[in-house]
């Protein structure tokens, strides 16, 4: 193979390897340019022969030069393992795919983890971090908890439960001066360990914004996708709608209780008995209602906001003077509408 590399790069490699760098790759034979041709190719071969020596990638795969080494025919992973450098992140479990991003700051090692599959995952996650205590940061609830962990071969191992497509941050701070919450809420993030107690069925009162073409108030006999509604004021609606329902709690309230919204398109704020319990914007669509739910006469309000395309698609079929939006984004009245609203089912669950 005719491997080409700029002469300044080859000279820099020589200096780096001489100082102790490790280089992995095939030996270059020619310059990638024509500056000072053909002398440049001769210089490439001279320097490369010093760095790569007698490597052929088969019987001989490493050459020592100065304080460093050059490898050919060896994978990066094998070289790192031979040097005693373990993977930055690993996880266990058959049929489990936990993806990650690692960022280092002056105060923390920060890992973003995400479950890439639409099903719960139980896995052991291993981080190449030493001498620090991990924290789990939940971007949905804003909670920070300290998980159970152990040190294995100089790395930190944490057993973690992921819900469908769930993500989280694992943060390793330099100091432990930050106050953290207990881990009661975190233990129950996996849908499979929650028990359904009571589904909120029946009708919902729903208020739309008339300024954006919606009806001021309607009753839904059951939860449905706005884009399938026969009323075009709802079918093409984009914006905020408020779902209201009163309910009694069938079960004891002195336990960890969660309100699972099922599926929301696309973001929702949950207000229970006048108290805002937070915003959910991704799976799992769940809010901790422990300590806020009553045995009788609970007032539940769920503010849901969808995306803009449905209103833009609706406007595409209207004359200019009746359009509610003005944008350079092009939609046709025949374009597919996006699912919208509180799709449910809405279920109270217990740990």
């Amino acid at each position: 193979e005719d491997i080409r590399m700029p002469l300044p790069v080859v000279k820099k490699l020589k200096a780096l390897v001489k100082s102790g760098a490790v280089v992995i790759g095939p030996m270059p034979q020619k310059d990638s340019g024509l500056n000072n041709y053909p002398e440049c190719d001769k210089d490439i071969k001279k320097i490369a022969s010093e760095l790569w020596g007698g490597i052929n990638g088969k019987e001989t795969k490493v050459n020592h030069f100065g304080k460093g080494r050059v490898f050919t025919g060896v994978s990066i992973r094998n070289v790192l393992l031979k040097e005693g450098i373990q993977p930055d992140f690993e996880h266990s479990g058959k049929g489990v795919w936990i993806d990650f991003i690692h960022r280092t700051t002056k105060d923390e090692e920060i890992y973003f983890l995400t479950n890439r599959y639409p099903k719960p995952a139980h896995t052991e996650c291993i981080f190449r971090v030493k001498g620090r205590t991990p924290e789990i940061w939940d971007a949905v609830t804003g909670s920070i908890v300290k998980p159970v962990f152990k040190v294995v071969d100089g790395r930190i191992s944490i057993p973690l439960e992921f819900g469908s497509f769930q993500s989280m941050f694992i943060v390793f701070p330099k100091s432990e001066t930050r106050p953290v919450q207990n881990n009661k809420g975190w233990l129950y993030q996996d849908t499979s360990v929650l028990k359904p107690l009571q589904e909120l069925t029946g009708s919902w009162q729903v208020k739309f914004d008339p300024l954006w073409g919606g009806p001021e108030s309607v009753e839904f006999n059951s939860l449905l996708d706005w884009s399938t509604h026969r009323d075009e004021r709802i079918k093409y609606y984009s914006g905020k709608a408020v779902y209201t329902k009163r309910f009694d709690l069938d079960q004891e309230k002195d336990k960890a209780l969660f309100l699972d919204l099922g599926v929301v398109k696309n973001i929702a704020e949950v207000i229970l008995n006048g108290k805002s319990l937070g915003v959910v914007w991704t799976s799992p669509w769940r809010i901790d209602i422990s300590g806020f739910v009553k045995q009788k006469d609970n007032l539940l309000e769920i503010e849901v906001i969808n995306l803009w395309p449905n209103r833009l698609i609706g406007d595409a079929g209207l004359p200019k003077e009746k359009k509610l939006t003005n944008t350079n984004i092009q939609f046709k009245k025949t374009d597919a509408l996006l699912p919208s609203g509180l799709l449910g089912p809405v279920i109270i669950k217990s740990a």
Side-chain angles (χ1 to χ4, degrees):
E1 187 178 358
D2 190 12
I3 304 297
R4 295 175 177 267
M5 186 178 291
L7 181 58
V9 173
V10 177
K11 289 180 177 179
K12 184 64 176 179
L13 284 179
K14 180 179 179 180
L16 289 172
V17 175
K18 187 175 181 179
S19 298
V22 174
V23 172
I24 305 171
M27 181 173 67
Q29 284 89 34
K30 296 181 179 180
D31 198 320
S32 58
L34 295 175
N35 185 34
N36 196 31
Y37 178 82
E39 295 302 319
C40 57
D41 287 349
K42 295 178 181 178
D43 292 338
I44 290 280
K45 290 180 179 178
K46 180 179 182 299
I47 297 173
S49 64
E50 294 181 72
L51 288 178
W52 272 263
I55 293 178
N56 57 20
K58 296 177 182 178
E59 294 83 13
T60 306
K61 298 182 179 181
V62 59
N63 183 56
H64 293 261
F65 179 83
K67 297 180 180 179
R69 284 151 296 155
V70 177
F71 291 86
T72 293
V74 183
S75 70
I76 296 174
R77 182 178 180 85
N78 286 340
V79 171
L80 290 172
L81 289 175
K82 189 175 181 181
E83 295 296 309
I85 302 173
Q86 297 292 319
D88 185 27
F89 171 79
E90 290 184 290
H91 66 84
S92 65
K94 186 177 181 180
V96 175
W97 181 14
I98 307 300
D99 212 348
F100 84 104
I101 299 172
H102 178 194
R103 178 177 175 229
T104 298
T105 69
K106 66 183 181 68
D107 295 318
E108 295 120 344
E109 297 294 333
I110 304 171
Y111 288 79
F112 173 75
L113 306 184
T114 181
N115 179 11
R116 297 297 296 269
Y117 288 145
K119 61 181 181 180
H122 173 74
T123 179
E124 194 86 11
C125 293
I126 304 175
F127 305 84
R128 195 178 63 205
V129 178
K130 293 183 179 180
R132 298 194 182 187
T133 300
E135 298 172 351
I136 300 177
W137 291 28
D138 184 355
V140 178
T141 66
S143 66
I144 300 174
V145 298
K146 289 187 177 181
V148 175
F149 71 96
K150 59 184 178 181
V151 177
V152 180
D153 295 330
R155 293 186 296 168
I156 292 177
S157 176
I158 309 172
L160 292 173
E161 300 277 356
F162 289 82
S164 172
F165 290 129
Q166 187 181 1
S167 61
M168 65 185 78
F169 291 91
I170 309 297
V171 179
F172 298 86
K174 279 186 178 179
S175 63
E176 296 184 45
T177 58
R178 171 169 41 226
V180 297
Q181 303 171 9
N182 64 46
N183 61 2
K184 180 189 72 172
W186 186 263
L187 293 176
Y188 311 122
Q189 292 298 306
D190 180 3
T191 305
S192 65
V193 302
L194 292 179
K195 300 175 183 177
L197 292 181
Q198 178 180 342
E199 183 174 354
L200 302 186
T201 58
S203 63
W204 295 75
Q205 201 67 28
V206 187
K207 293 183 179 180
F208 293 85
D209 187 349
L211 293 178
W212 287 105
E216 185 171 351
S217 182
V218 297
E219 184 175 295
F220 284 1
N221 293 326
S222 60
L223 295 176
L224 54 82
D225 178 352
W226 301 348
S227 68
T228 64
H229 204 285
R230 59 187 177 184
D231 187 340
E232 291 193 351
R233 296 176 301 169
I234 298 173
K235 181 177 183 178
Y236 296 113
Y237 183 81
S238 289
K240 182 174 78 172
V242 182
Y243 291 71
T244 304
K245 175 186 281 291
R246 289 190 177 273
F247 70 94
D248 296 333
L249 185 64
D250 294 341
Q251 305 290 330
E252 301 269 342
K253 68 173 185 176
D254 58 345
K255 57 174 68 175
L257 296 175
F258 297 83
L259 185 68
D260 192 316
L261 303 185
V263 175
V264 177
K265 295 296 182 179
N266 294 88
I267 189 170
E269 180 178 6
V270 175
I271 302 167
L272 183 60
N273 298 321
K275 174 70 174 178
S276 175
L277 301 186
V279 174
V280 288
W281 46 271
T282 185
S283 175
W285 305 92
R286 191 179 309 127
I287 289 284
D288 188 345
I289 61 173
S290 308
F292 301 99
V293 65
K294 302 184 297 184
Q295 208 69 47
K296 297 288 184 180
D297 196 29
N298 291 281
L299 175 60
L300 175 63
E301 300 168 274
I302 303 175
E303 296 184 355
V304 177
I305 299 176
N306 68 332
L307 301 178
W308 275 111
N310 289 2
R311 181 67 267 161
L312 299 177
I313 292 168
D315 280 3
L318 298 176
K320 185 175 181 180
E321 63 273 11
K322 291 187 177 181
K323 292 183 178 182
L324 297 176
T325 58
N326 180 20
T327 176
N328 59 357
I329 301 173
Q330 296 298 315
F331 282 96
K332 302 187 293 293
K333 62 181 179 180
T334 55
D335 285 341
L337 297 173
L338 299 180
S340 297
L342 176 61
L343 306 185
V346 178
I347 302 174
I348 296 175
K349 296 183 177 182
S350 174

